[in-house]
Amino acid sequence: MRGLLIKDAYTIIKQTKVLLLITLIFAVVPSDFLFGYSVFYAAMMPITALAYDERAKWDKFAGMLPYSVNEIVGSKYLMGYISVGIVFLLTIFSKFILAAINGHMPADAVITIVMIMCLALIIQAVNLPLMFWIGVEKGRMLFILLTVVGMTVFMTALTGMDLSIFFIEEKYLIAGAFLLTIVCNVISYQISKKIYTKKVYS
Amino acid sequence: MNTADVGMTIGGTEMYETQTNAIEMKHVTKKYASFQLEDVSLTLPSGCIMGLVGENGAGKSTTIGLIMGSIRRDAGEIFVLGQDNTKKEFDAVKEDIGVVLDEAYFPEVLNAVNVNQIMKHTYQRWDEKQYFDYIKHFSLEEKKMFKDYSRGMKMKLAIAVALSHKPKLLILDEATSGLDPIIRDEILEIFNEFTREEDHTVLLSSHIISDLEKISDYIAFLHQGKLLFCEEKDRLLEEYGILQVTEEEEKDIPKEAIAGRKQGKYATELLVKRSKISDAFEIECAGIEDIVLFLARKGE
């Protein structure tokens, strides 16, 4: 799988230098909003790599190499985790530096970062099967449509509701977010493998 | 390992030796909405070169995809280097196979140096030195991006990759098309050199029949999804001949001897089976291209 990750890394580094730089800068700037941007860009990296694969018809060639479907599909997920992981570590590092300078760490700093990271990885889990299924161009449009519809339904459902019933202790919130992220990614990976097998090997 | 008994005659005595087959396809069928590859059976013994001939859309790329397991068959069996290619273990067998496809490439921003790094971590027996020797031999610029390569250069890079991990089997889909005649000849010589090793085998599909005739031991001819023949090249050249006849003369030729027919303005050209026709006729030699064209016309 290392060969596949190296290929994607070369593609991303060469093709999206500016975006990569912005992602890294946003990761270290002390702003949760910019961190959000940064981590979502990171989670989009495998999709960018997939777009270049599509253009080169790499899938056909990859099928001839000594890689299994698990490795080919898994490499894209792993790439997302590595990208998000790098952003996470950079952000944590910058937070600690800032805390050392200011003499205190904001209480909700880490929890916000963890929650945003989990959300980005859940979005990656939704995104990747779509991209494997209908390709990056159409997949992106479908994802935007799903997000708009999902958000509209969600906001409508919340209107007028007493939100205090959703109050959850921090530790349960983090555990729940982790669990949901893992479940979504495991299901997503299994779906992507099935889609990829059907699409490429039929 | 799958083996086949191969007959050979030494000093008038028929001898048999057991020879390993690099590729065995048995009654393989693949159906698409608009195309069908029907009941294809072919055997490629180790150490040989097979040329796969066929018009556009005949099923050559589908056959290669089926052999490599990148296309799922609907029926039949395929063994590659002795391994059923539907089994999980086939992923490891791919270490021994070098493949060049006609329209699947590396992402366009990569260069030859990047490809080396990728393949170094893909193939266990990747030979960096050999790869760069080929890059130099093919006059490819190491730092030039793939998108700036001509089609010929892309094929050369793909061939360098296919040859640089010590494969036992080379599978090449239109690998020589788009190359100039001089480099084509050089590449064919490399393939020829490759099969000097006893267990090295080549399956080469091409439109350029003269290339295949030059180096192949076996010729397989696919036409509209059907395998019309898979024969030793020398046997084909021995078996078939061309005969120019008038309409009157044609009546004297047994029907079972006529494999193909082309009506000219003044005479009829026939592809005939030498074994089924009298020596009295003046039969000209038929090239592989003649045989393929006559049989394709007959198949329509």
Side-chain angles (χ1 to χ4, degrees):
Chain A
M1 199 196 280
R2 269 177 78 188
L4 295 172
L5 288 171
I6 290 170
K7 173 192 69 72
D8 286 345
Y10 276 134
T11 310
I12 295 291
I13 290 167
K14 288 188 171 204
Q15 202 61 33
T16 59
K17 278 183 197 136
V18 177
L19 186 66
L20 206 61
L21 193 67
I22 291 171
T23 307
L24 295 177
I25 291 170
F26 281 8
V28 291
V29 171
S31 155
D32 289 342
F33 181 71
L34 291 182
F35 166 72
Y37 263 114
S38 174
V39 85
F40 282 106
Y41 281 146
M44 294 299 273
M45 293 296 177
I47 292 154
T48 309
L50 254 180
Y52 286 100
D53 284 357
E54 270 179 23
R55 201 184 296 180
K57 298 184 182 171
W58 166 261
D59 284 344
K60 268 192 173 181
F61 188 62
M64 308 287 163
L65 300 174
Y67 289 118
S68 62
V69 172
N70 292 1
E71 288 174 299
I72 295 171
V73 173
S75 71
K76 291 290 183 270
Y77 282 81
L78 193 54
M79 205 209 164
Y81 303 146
I82 292 170
S83 307
V84 170
I86 289 170
V87 168
F88 174 74
L89 289 176
L90 279 174
T91 306
I92 289 288
F93 182 69
S94 79
K95 290 264 181 203
F96 275 110
I97 298 272
L98 209 68
I101 294 166
N102 294 342
H104 78 282
M105 182 83 149
D108 60 347
V110 176
I111 188 171
T112 308
I113 292 170
V114 169
M115 294 305 284
I116 293 174
M117 198 181 78
C118 287
L119 183 63
L121 290 177
I122 290 169
I123 288 174
Q124 174 183 294
V126 176
N127 250 326
L128 278 174
L130 294 179
M131 306 301 159
F132 280 119
W133 178 37
I134 49 175
V136 172
E137 285 300 312
K138 288 179 190 167
R140 274 186 180 141
M141 290 206 283
L142 185 59
F143 176 73
I144 291 167
L145 188 73
L146 284 176
T147 309
V148 171
V149 172
M151 286 303 285
T152 310
V153 171
F154 184 66
M155 296 308 283
T156 312
L158 286 185
T159 310
M161 198 181 270
D162 176 15
L163 296 181
S164 63
I165 58 165
F166 290 115
F167 177 76
I168 305 167
E169 258 186 75
E170 268 181 18
K171 59 181 179 185
Y172 294 124
L173 191 65
I174 290 180
F178 266 122
L179 191 66
L180 186 65
T181 307
I182 292 167
V183 169
C184 285
N185 275 271
V186 168
I187 294 170
S188 166
Y189 174 56
Q190 298 302 328
I191 294 171
S192 289
K193 276 197 301 181
K194 281 201 172 140
I195 291 169
Y196 187 88
T197 306
K198 202 173 173 193
K199 191 176 165 188
V200 178
Y201 292 81
S202 61
Chain B
M1 278 285 199
N2 269 39
T3 56
D5 290 332
V6 175
M8 57 191 290
T9 307
I10 298 173
T13 313
E14 199 159 38
M15 308 280 288
Y16 281 89
E17 61 173 282
T18 301
Q19 186 173 335
T20 311
N21 290 323
I23 299 173
E24 271 189 74
M25 294 180 78
K26 296 176 185 170
H27 308 291
V28 175
T29 296
K30 176 71 191 174
K31 287 177 189 162
Y32 291 108
S34 57
F35 170 76
Q36 184 172 338
L37 194 73
E38 275 181 72
D39 195 25
V40 171
S41 297
L42 65 81
T43 302
L44 172 56
S46 286
C48 298
I49 301 178
M50 178 181 278
L52 188 59
V53 195
E55 74 281 2
N56 283 334
K60 301 190 295 293
S61 297
T62 305
T63 304
I64 286 174
L66 286 163
I67 290 170
M68 287 306 294
S70 68
I71 297 174
R72 298 258 160 95
R73 57 187 181 253
D74 295 327
E77 282 183 305
I78 302 175
F79 291 90
V80 183
L81 298 174
Q83 178 67 54
D84 181 343
N85 75 348
T86 55
K87 300 279 186 247
K88 212 175 162 55
E89 293 76 20
F90 185 64
D91 285 334
V93 174
K94 287 179 179 174
E95 286 276 350
D96 293 324
I97 308 172
V99 184
V100 177
L101 299 177
D102 69 332
E103 56 156 18
Y105 306 119
F106 297 98
E108 57 187 21
V109 289
L110 303 184
N111 59 34
V113 177
N114 303 147
V115 169
N116 173 57
Q117 286 300 322
I118 295 163
M119 292 302 152
K120 204 161 111 178
H121 294 95
T122 295
Y123 289 107
Q124 286 172 19
R125 293 194 304 271
W126 181 252
D127 186 339
E128 208 167 339
K129 189 187 170 301
Q130 191 173 37
Y131 171 73
F132 282 110
D133 283 348
Y134 279 123
I135 294 296
K136 204 171 165 189
H137 179 76
F138 292 146
S139 310
L140 294 172
E141 285 177 49
E142 290 181 10
K143 295 284 170 73
K144 195 170 184 170
M145 277 196 201
F146 205 69
K147 66 178 171 190
D148 299 325
Y149 276 18
S150 66
R151 181 178 156 79
M153 289 161 92
K154 285 178 181 172
M155 295 319 276
K156 284 185 209 170
L157 180 66
I159 290 166
V161 170
L163 286 163
S164 301
H165 58 94
K166 299 182 171 48
K168 288 179 181 160
L169 171 63
L170 275 183
I171 297 182
L172 310 133
D173 193 5
E174 299 289 351
T176 55
S177 60
L179 301 177
D180 63 72
I182 298 166
I183 198 76
R184 234 168 57 208
D185 215 54
E186 269 180 46
I187 285 170
L188 291 179
E189 190 44 47
I190 290 170
F191 296 159
N192 231 341
E193 194 71 32
F194 175 79
T195 50
R196 298 261 157 84
E197 294 266 343
E198 208 176 297
D199 61 343
H200 283 186
T201 312
V202 178
L203 174 67
L204 171 67
S205 93
S206 180
H207 286 104
I208 310 164
I209 299 177
S210 59
D211 281 356
L212 299 181
E213 189 163 1
K214 223 179 270 178
I215 62 162
S216 299
D217 304 303
Y218 287 81
I219 301 283
F221 176 36
L222 271 171
H223 181 59
Q224 295 175 348
K226 287 178 190 154
L227 187 70
L228 292 195
F229 63 74
C230 177
E231 272 284 357
E232 269 183 65
K233 180 184 76 185
D234 292 342
R235 199 172 285 175
L236 282 169
L237 296 175
E238 265 169 36
E239 189 178 2
Y240 292 102
I242 305 258
L243 191 58
Q244 309 259 9
V245 290
T246 61
E247 261 182 62
E248 279 306 302
E249 286 170 329
E250 193 179 340
K251 286 174 191 161
D252 298 332
I253 298 167
K255 278 211 174 102
E256 64 272 20
I258 302 172
R261 187 174 188 279
K262 192 165 91 184
Q263 183 67 57
K265 205 170 178 185
Y266 305 106
T268 307
E269 219 174 34
L270 301 176
L271 179 74
V272 292
K273 289 181 180 170
R274 290 173 189 271
S275 57
K276 295 189 173 162
I277 203 165
S278 155
D279 291 341
F281 289 101
E282 210 173 291
I283 303 170
E284 295 167 30
C285 290
I288 296 297
E289 190 150 355
D290 298 316
I291 299 169
V292 162
L293 289 175
F294 269 103
L295 293 180
R297 215 170 281 137
K298 191 184 177 189
E300 282 159 10

